[in-house]
Each structure stands twice: as structure tokens, then as C-alpha cells.
Amino acid sequence: MSDAVADVPEAAEAAGVPETAAAAAPAAAAPAAAAPAAAASGRPEKGPEKGPEKEANAETEKEPEASPTAGLPLRPALEAVLMVVDEPVTAEHLAKVLERRPREITDALRELSDEYTVQGRGFDLRHVAGGWRFYTRAAYAPAVEGFVLDGQQSRLTQAALETLAVVAYRQPVSRSRVSAVRGVNCDGVMRTLLQRGLIAEAGTEDGTGAILYRTTNYFLERMGLRGLDELPELAPFLPDADAVEGESQEGVPSFDVDDDT
């Protein structure tokens, strides 16, 4: 092989081929000679990267798709969500849905509430029962009542209101305790309050096993309260001790016990 390569320049000179071209001939012949050697060894030539690994790398390089709520204006988005809720929704829940910080949501809700008040809108945005929800402004309650009731009466009776008050201030409380406070049987009224969702069961009483009752979040909504700590104090509405003592003596028989009986 070396003799043949050495004879190339001489043959090229005799044929009139330039020396530089003759010198390139051995280099061009080298890959051709290497190909049979690779085929003989059984090793395939390494080609460009293919297969699942390359496809996986391509997928990881793709940019994540933008969320449809990320680019929405915050205040209109809050109004749209609050229009469809059926119970107060927390700022944390709204922040998760709209992909914002809870503090940003709270500030926007307060700004909306103040704006509605300044503009004198017929509705109000309130923070009630741990969440936010639209409510009819109190000044326009007669218009709403006339539309919703349309001549029908759906208010709670005086007995139901008194029973609900006992549960609210004494909760958790059993039916027998409510009846003892009111002085009458309250089973029927308690069933009504349960059906309307104003009270709910809250376990059983130790010792007696009687079912206990408490007020619900719906009660807070209807009363416009953030929590039970906003219930008014009872002291201004309680009668004097002398009046209570006088009433407690009414109907008590006055007679001397007969020692012979």
C-alpha cells in the first residue's frame, strides 16, 4: 500500500496532473477504505439522534400554555364570579380560581364594595359568614319583597323567631332546653327551622344523649352577620329581676300543707 501511494506523485507528474491534486488523492481514498472496515466489524454508523428520547426532549422544551383566567381584568372577573355564587365565597377561593394573590383579591373586593356604596347601587357587596356575596341594598328591600313574594307571606312566625333566638344564644342546645326556656313545646317550630336550613344538628348531649342544635351559615347570611360574635347583647332587652320574680310567682297555689294527709 505504501509503495502504491509513493508512486502516485510520479504518475501524476508523468500525466501532467498538478502535485496538489495528486497529494489530495490519498486523503480522498481513506474514507472509502474505512467503509469496508466498518462493515466488516458489524458496527453501524452513528446517525442523528432519533426515537422516544428525542421526542421527550422536544416536549419538555415546549412553553406551558397560558391560563385563560390569567389575562382577565381582576375586578370584572370578580363581579362575574360573584353573580353566580349561591353562598358567600372566601377570598382564598377566589384567589385560587382567578390565579391571584389573596391580598390582591381582598383589596379589590373592598374597593368594589366602597364603589357600589358611593354610587348608590341597588345591590351591595358584603363580607358575611366568612365570605363575600352580593346582597340587595336595604333601602330597596320593599321593591324586592314585592317582586319575590307577590302577595305571599313567607316570614317566620313570632314563635319561630323566639325559638331561633334561644338556639342562637344558647347553642348548642337541645329541644327540651329550648322548650324549657320558652315555656311551651317547641318540637314543631324546631322542625320548621330545620327545614328552612336556619338550624342544624350539632351532636348529642353528654349524659342524656339528647340531640343538640346550632345555627347555620345560612342563618348568618339571612341576619347579615359575619359571625355569632356580632349578635346583639341581651342585657338591654331583659326585664328587671323584680318583674321576673313577680311573674314566676303567678299561678303558684298558696295553701298550707295538711299534716294529717
Side-chain angles (χ1 to χ4, degrees), residues 118-139:
V118 172
Q119 295 177 354
R121 298 289 186 90
F123 57 89
D124 186 18
L125 180 58
R126 304 179 196 168
H127 184 232
V128 174
W132 293 83
R133 185 182 178 186
F134 283 125
Y135 288 86
T136 303
R137 200 170 294 278

Side-chain angles (χ1 to χ4, degrees), residues 18-112:
E19 184 176 355
T20 55
S41 64
R43 296 193 303 269
E45 296 183 12
K46 186 176 181 181
E49 185 181 0
K50 295 181 180 180
E53 184 176 355
K54 183 177 181 181
E55 294 178 359
N57 293 337
E59 291 179 358
T60 55
E61 293 176 357
K62 292 181 180 179
E63 296 182 358
E65 297 182 0
S67 172
T69 60
L72 295 176
L74 179 56
R75 290 172 46 152
L78 286 172
E79 291 175 327
V81 174
L82 291 170
M83 285 293 293
V84 299
V85 300
D86 55 1
E87 60 183 13
V89 58
T90 63
E92 289 75 14
H93 190 185
L94 291 170
K96 181 180 179 181
V97 172
L98 300 178
E99 301 182 10
R100 304 294 182 95
R101 293 172 301 170
R103 181 65 182 178
E104 186 179 1
I105 295 293
T106 301
D107 292 342
L109 290 169
R110 288 175 178 169
E111 291 174 1
L112 285 172

Side-chain angles (χ1 to χ4, degrees), residues 156-244:
L156 292 175
T157 63
Q158 184 65 28
L161 288 173
E162 292 176 2
T163 303
L164 184 58
V166 174
V167 176
Y169 283 95
R170 300 291 295 270
Q171 61 184 308
V173 62
S174 64
R175 289 191 182 189
S176 60
R177 177 64 62 181
V178 175
S179 298
V181 172
R182 290 200 59 228
V184 294
N185 187 292
C186 299
D187 289 350
V189 179
M190 293 286 286
R191 283 193 295 269
T192 300
L193 296 176
L194 279 168
Q195 292 172 356
R196 296 201 176 191
L198 295 169
I199 64 173
E201 295 183 2
T204 57
E205 189 176 30
D206 295 338
T208 64
I211 298 176
L212 300 175
Y213 296 90
R214 60 170 178 82
T215 56
T216 63
N217 280 339
Y218 181 62
F219 165 80
L220 296 177
E221 292 178 44
R222 300 297 296 176
M223 297 298 168
L225 304 174
R226 293 185 178 89
L228 294 175
D229 56 340
E230 291 192 353
L231 285 171
E233 295 291 337
L234 281 178
F237 304 99
L238 294 176
D240 295 335
D242 295 338
V244 174

